[in-house]
Amino acid sequence: MPKFEQGPQRLYAGKYMLTPMLRFNGHSVSPAAGDSVTPFEEHSAQKFPLGTKLEYGDRSYRYCLADSTAIATGQLCQSGVIEANGDVTDMAVDTPAVGATSMEVTNGGNTAIAADEFAEGWLHVNDGTGEGYAYRIKGNDQMDASAAGTVFLYDSVRVALVAASTVSLTHSKYYGVIIHPSPPTAQLVGVTNIAVTASYYFWAQTKGPCAVPNDNASTPNVQGALCRASEEHDGFIALLNYDESNINLREVGTTMHLNGDDEYNLVDLNLE
């Protein structure tokens, strides 16, 4: 697992001194000596834990890992979709006692799990003794298909598990990020401020003024109105109309400057 030093980081941007605040699990984090912090760069190697929050003036960002497809600038993105093969659902588990901070799980028979692939994600007990508890994951062993491995937890086990208990693993919502399909198929996480290389780490904007492409054809957007993910154009926003069928899609933000169809609006994001 990467290690991070404590302390603030000051950046110079134009005529202003910005003091970005980086937060992870309620604590401040900072880059390694000699590294700068800017939301307008990407990394081939991980520099912060997934989900680290960067506050940059009146904008906020979350540290993400792109999936295996590149992402263009200004695209509304979502989490990766949980595999339908069931490998990480209803997993067999050993019998950790109360107070344990790890447990052994057995992977399904289809896809291998990389070391620390589920770091900053979640393990929840979905059935049997101990069900209803969710534990944040610190890291995990590499596991081949059908093989067992250890999952390491931030917090200790609250209720001892038994042989009949089953657990499920969920990636960090900032892992394997993709442009949202239309309509979205997972939780929305933020908007790219740069063009992102496939499988690179980057900062997705989650709050504050942001340029996002606008689907304005079927139901015209208006300044000051709430917007949501488009159900017709991948990565776009559309008007959140309380009279239409897609009201079940969550609010993304408020339109600040309205532009034309297929153009970029300025949106005050609210994805935190």
Side-chain angles (χ1 to χ4, degrees), residues 121-202:
W122 295 89
L123 178 153
H124 74 278
V125 185
N126 60 274
D127 198 18
T129 302
E131 65 185 4
Y133 285 87
Y135 302 97
R136 190 163 189 171
I137 298 172
K138 183 182 290 186
N140 62 268
D141 288 342
Q142 187 275 335
M143 296 175 230
D144 292 331
S146 302
T150 302
V151 177
F152 303 94
L153 310 174
Y154 279 104
D155 298 311
S156 58
V157 172
R158 298 290 190 268
V159 175
L161 275 60
V162 299
S165 301
T166 56
V167 302
S168 297
L169 302 183
T170 304
H171 290 111
S172 164
K173 64 182 178 181
Y174 305 108
Y175 175 92
V177 169
I178 61 173
I179 297 174
H180 87 71
S182 45
T185 54
Q187 184 173 2
L188 300 172
V189 296
V191 177
T192 53
N193 279 190
I194 60 171
V196 179
T197 304
S199 302
Y200 269 50
Y201 296 87
F202 70 100

Side-chain angles (χ1 to χ4, degrees), residues 22 38-39 41 43 48 52 54 61-63 202-205:
L22 292 102
T38 170
E41 65 182 10
H43 308 131
F48 298 97
T52 296
L54 170 63
Y61 297 80
R62 294 284 184 166
Y63 198 62
F202 70 100
W203 296 98
Q205 187 176 343

Side-chain angles (χ1 to χ4, degrees), residues 21-73:
M21 296 294 297
L22 292 102
R23 309 288 295 178
F24 175 71
N25 277 359
H27 302 285
S28 62
V29 296
S30 67
D35 282 349
S36 62
V37 180
T38 170
F40 311 115
E41 65 182 10
E42 60 179 5
H43 308 131
S44 59
Q46 186 174 2
K47 292 191 175 184
F48 298 97
L50 293 178
T52 296
K53 184 178 183 181
L54 170 63
E55 295 181 354
Y56 194 80
D58 56 356
R59 292 176 285 180
S60 296
Y61 297 80
R62 294 284 184 166
Y63 198 62
C64 299
L65 173 63
D67 195 33
S68 56
T69 301
I71 306 174
T73 307

Side-chain angles (χ1 to χ4, degrees), residues 3 34 39 48 56 93 96 101 114 116 125 134 146 156 208 248 257 268 270:
K3 296 181 179 179
F48 298 97
Y56 194 80
V93 63
T101 54
D116 293 334
V125 185
S146 302
S156 58
N248 56 313
H257 192 126
D268 190 9
N270 187 24

